[in-house]
Amino acid sequence: NSGAYPVWNRYGLWPDNSAHTVNVSGGAGLPFNSRYMGTFQYTWMLQDDPFLPSTVNPALTAATLPRSSLGGDARTTLANNVLNTQITSELTSNLRYRYYDYHSNQSPMPITGLCNRADSNSSACTIAVTAFPTNFTKQNASSELVYRPWKWLDLGAAYEWEQFKHVYGGDSDEVVAGTAGTAATNEHAGKAFFDAKWGWSTLRTSVRFSERRLDGNYINPSDASASFRNIDLQNRDSTIAKSSWDINVTNTVTFTPNGGYRLDDYPADGITTNGITRYESWNAGADVSWVITPLATVYVSYSHEDGIREVFTSPVSGTLDPAPARITLGTRAFNDVAIFGGKSTAIPDKLFLNATYTFSRGTSRWAQNCGPGTCSATVLPVAYPDTHNTNHRIDASAKYMLDPTIMRNA
């Protein structure tokens, strides 16, 4: 800040708001050994707190707003449907469909006089933007078959589909050509799994592969600096594998090692497109539970996760897209989580107690190097200091069941 005032910053708190929800759930038995279960939910959310000035710096003039508050009015619609059919004594079918829609009803807001740096007395307050509401619709459908040739073995296969449609109001130059303001992705997935149960253990394993594709083509913006692909709109091939093994060490102690692997491949190559190019992670851990008495159980859980993300970024600003990236940014995250807990029945059929302590620690490592294009700085590669986050959490709950006769006599 080159002026006589200190740095001026303001951080807004969450505004007062209200939400109202109507929920209807039900089920019905159907012919052909089928059963339907469904849920419908409608929510409307309101928020009308007055806007705060865009800056508290007395050397600057606050932006001009068309109204004094957002007049926020958002509606969500959820429909969840499940159809289960016992085709034969060994074969079961599950069909699922889920629909979720989020819609903001407030009108767009043209704003003029925004400052490029509100904490600087010499800021240029000449920016004009229009704030558009963001809406989206998400649909999921799946078909699953489970075959049980023997009581100890379940074999399954599933097909899954997801469509994510985004509506961006007036944004017409950052999404796809010919469909200003909207963008949709469709993801198709195949999954195979099995559960094998023996007298002393249960092994569960699944593998899932999916392909997500943008419905349309990315446009090439006039400035390559805007060529960074949004992660939720990028094409992606994803492979996920999970496995766990419940081992009954004794009649009261169960030991469960578990692990998983995930690989997400994106088409960004740093030459014709920029953005995330790869995410790869693995996790391993174990759970131990001990049933001390029929009324008391203690458990311990530990998991470790290691993930790597690579991103191409920083093409030459002002050049036509495509332009090669000048930076390859790599991040690596380590997360360790330990949980200690216990649950007990203080009064049989009446009072149930549960308590857990969770400790988590995360470490993030960042490093950058030259991209496929020229380097954006003279000193590369650059390694940043590690960042660490530690969290302690305690949860406790008690549930008391009222005497059923109270309700019957009410």
Side-chain angles (χ1 to χ4, degrees):
N1 191 333
S2 60
Y5 297 99
V7 174
W8 297 92
N9 288 312
R10 161 177 271 172
Y11 300 94
L13 302 177
W14 288 106
D16 292 340
N17 58 84
S18 62
H20 311 270
T21 299
V22 176
N23 188 87
V24 179
S25 299
L30 301 175
F32 307 106
N33 297 319
S34 298
R35 180 167 180 81
Y36 166 80
M37 293 173 288
T39 298
F40 175 82
Q41 181 178 288
Y42 183 78
T43 301
W44 62 101
M45 297 167 283
L46 306 172
Q47 188 271 107
D48 200 29
D49 262 11
F51 284 129
L52 297 173
S54 60
T55 177
V56 292
N57 189 339
L60 303 177
T61 301
T64 302
L65 305 176
R67 54 183 185 265
S68 61
S69 66
L70 176 67
D73 180 354
R75 311 291 176 100
T76 66
T77 304
L78 169 67
N80 201 15
N81 303 273
V82 179
L83 179 64
N84 176 273
T85 302
Q86 190 73 43
I87 300 175
T88 69
S89 58
E90 297 88 13
L91 187 62
T92 303
S93 166
N94 289 289
L95 301 176
R96 295 180 174 88
Y97 174 72
R98 184 181 187 272
Y99 174 88
Y100 182 83
D101 177 75
Y102 177 91
H103 188 83
S104 295
N105 292 311
Q106 62 267 16
S107 58
M109 284 188 56
I111 305 172
T112 58
L114 282 173
C115 304
N116 60 347
R117 279 194 57 193
D119 61 348
S120 173
N121 293 350
S122 60
S123 175
C125 301
T126 58
I127 300 174
V129 299
T130 299
F132 291 90
T134 298
N135 308 313
F136 68 89
T137 301
K138 185 178 180 181
Q139 298 183 75
N140 297 83
S142 66
S143 175
E144 178 184 273
L145 288 174
V146 179
Y147 178 56
R148 178 176 288 183
W150 300 283
K151 291 183 178 181
W152 57 270
L153 179 64
D154 289 344
L155 302 173
Y159 164 76
E160 301 172 359
W161 168 77
E162 178 181 278
Q163 183 186 75
F164 211 148
K165 183 177 181 181
H166 309 254
V167 181
Y168 294 97
D171 291 345
S172 60
D173 60 348
E174 301 292 339
V175 193
V176 291
T179 56
T182 64
T185 58
N186 286 279
E187 184 168 10
H188 302 272
K191 180 179 179 181
F193 59 92
F194 75 86
D195 296 348
K197 304 176 182 179
W198 297 278
W200 53 275
S201 70
T202 301
L203 177 64
R204 298 180 176 90
T205 299
S206 66
V207 177
R208 181 182 185 271
F209 176 77
S210 65
E211 292 185 346
R212 185 181 69 188
R213 296 295 182 263
L214 181 68
D215 188 10
N217 298 312
Y218 285 105
I219 65 172
N220 292 326
S222 58
D223 191 333
S225 63
S227 65
F228 195 93
R229 303 297 192 234
N230 290 336
I231 188 172
D232 57 346
L233 293 175
Q234 274 189 277
N235 294 342
R236 180 189 68 187
D237 294 342
S238 180
T239 302
I240 301 174
K242 299 179 181 179
S243 186
S244 67
W245 194 4
D246 295 336
I247 303 173
N248 298 324
V249 181
T250 68
N251 290 333
T252 59
V253 177
T254 302
F255 174 66
T256 307
N258 55 77
Y261 173 79
R262 176 168 186 158
L263 175 63
D264 292 344
D265 278 325
Y266 299 85
D269 56 10
I271 299 175
T272 58
T273 58
N274 294 295
I276 184 172
T277 180
R278 182 172 72 101
Y279 173 73
E280 185 175 15
S281 70
W282 63 269
N283 67 276
D287 304 331
V288 178
S289 65
W290 176 29
V291 181
I292 304 172
T293 72
L295 301 179
T297 301
V298 295
Y299 50 89
V300 178
S301 174
Y302 170 76
S303 65
H304 173 81
E305 183 177 9
D306 186 341
I308 299 174
R309 180 179 285 105
E310 295 179 357
V311 178
F312 292 118
T313 185
S314 189
V316 177
S317 179
T319 60
L320 294 176
D321 182 54
R326 297 178 298 164
I327 289 179
T328 300
L329 179 64
T331 63
R332 186 170 185 178
F334 306 91
N335 294 293
D336 294 275
V337 179
I339 301 175
F340 306 87
K343 55 185 178 180
S344 66
T345 302
I347 304 175
D349 301 324
K350 291 288 186 179
L351 182 59
F352 305 90
L353 306 177
N354 193 2
T356 60
Y357 165 71
T358 303
F359 170 84
S360 63
R361 179 173 174 81
T363 299
S364 180
R365 294 177 180 172
W366 290 61
Q368 69 180 42
N369 209 328
C370 296
T374 59
C375 291
S376 64
T378 57
V379 183
L380 283 171
V382 174
Y384 299 93
D386 291 354
T387 58
H388 305 279
N389 290 288
T390 302
N391 182 65
H392 302 268
R393 174 169 174 166
I394 297 176
D395 295 278
S397 65
K399 182 172 71 172
Y400 183 81
M401 305 295 292
L402 296 175
D403 192 329
T405 60
I406 297 177
M407 302 302 297
R408 287 197 297 265
N409 298 331

